[in-house]
Amino acid sequence: MCTAATYQTKDFYFGRTLDYEISYGDEIVVTPRKFPFEFCHMGKCDVHYGMIGMAHVADGYPLYYDAVNEKGLGMAGLNFVGNAVYEDAVSAKETDAVQVAQFEFIPRILGQCASVAEAKRKIANMRLTKTPFSDQLPAAQLHWMIADQEECIVVESMQDELHVYDNPVGVLTNNPPFPMQLFAL
């Protein structure tokens, strides 16, 4: 079972386990500030914060499992099979929200946000879509932990809506939904 955790002493630590039986070609990936991200529904972004993390690189695009940006904001996606539900993409005329494909969520947040507070503001006007990376790589069923040295949140896209929870313990595992994990603690 994958687990993401934070640890606060005089310094801030963010990490996660990646407990798979096989490798999916994951590797440590550094994305420099001027790497050209081609977002499905938002166009090209070639100025953003740099980031480092574990990813599978497909067709030159880093599909991050987790990463930390140069400002110290960390984010990890953990399995949420059976609970994750993403929206269909719609035309820009049909929504005021920013549409982000599930596989773009980590680079979008870490590329644009220096803190959890900034991430919360971005997420408030966001729709996560089920747009696949390719026919061979459909949208993964995930939920995410986002943390900096000040605070930690969990983001879960479910049937009813996109949930953002404050995470006072700084830990997230795979299923079940975060409120149930917190209750079990």
Side-chain angles (χ1 to χ4, degrees):
M1 175 181 296
C2 296
T3 303
T6 61
Y7 184 65
Q8 183 79 41
T9 61
K10 64 180 176 74
D11 298 310
F12 171 69
Y13 298 92
F14 181 96
R16 68 90 56 84
T17 62
L18 192 57
D19 298 331
Y20 288 125
E21 296 82 26
I22 61 171
S23 171
Y24 291 95
D26 43 330
E27 59 187 299
I28 298 170
V29 175
V30 176
T31 303
R33 291 181 191 129
K34 293 190 179 189
F35 176 84
F37 278 112
E38 283 286 341
F39 292 112
C40 295
H41 311 293
M42 298 172 293
K44 188 175 183 178
C45 176
D46 55 9
V47 177
H48 50 77
Y49 295 126
M51 59 194 84
I52 183 172
M54 291 300 294
H56 168 74
V57 179
D59 298 326
Y61 193 95
L63 299 169
Y64 278 107
Y65 301 110
D66 56 76
V68 176
N69 70 17
E70 65 185 89
K71 298 297 182 180
L73 182 65
M75 187 168 177
L78 293 109
N79 281 329
F80 200 45
V81 177
N83 287 304
V85 177
Y86 308 116
E87 299 183 40
D88 291 320
V90 296
S91 73
K93 295 176 187 175
E94 295 179 60
T95 183
D96 292 331
V98 175
Q99 297 182 96
V100 178
Q102 170 275 324
F103 68 89
E104 300 169 334
F105 191 39
I106 290 177
R108 176 66 179 174
I109 293 298
L110 294 184
Q112 303 296 312
C113 302
S115 67
V116 170
E118 286 182 25
K120 284 180 180 178
R121 288 192 292 276
K122 288 265 188 219
I123 294 166
N125 188 40
M126 188 177 285
R127 298 174 70 237
L128 290 178
T129 72
K130 58 185 170 185
T131 307
F133 179 78
S134 69
D135 291 338
Q136 294 77 34
L137 296 170
Q141 294 184 51
L142 304 174
H143 59 173
W144 296 266
M145 186 169 87
I146 306 171
D148 62 22
Q149 64 184 8
E150 301 297 323
E151 60 184 318
C152 182
I153 60 173
V154 170
V155 179
E156 296 179 337
S157 183
M158 298 177 71
Q159 184 68 45
D160 58 343
E161 66 181 335
L162 187 64
H163 298 269
V164 179
Y165 301 104
D166 289 325
N167 182 344
V169 295
V171 176
L172 180 67
T173 66
N174 299 336
N175 276 319
F178 181 69
M180 294 171 71
Q181 290 186 34
L182 198 56
F183 177 78
L185 281 173

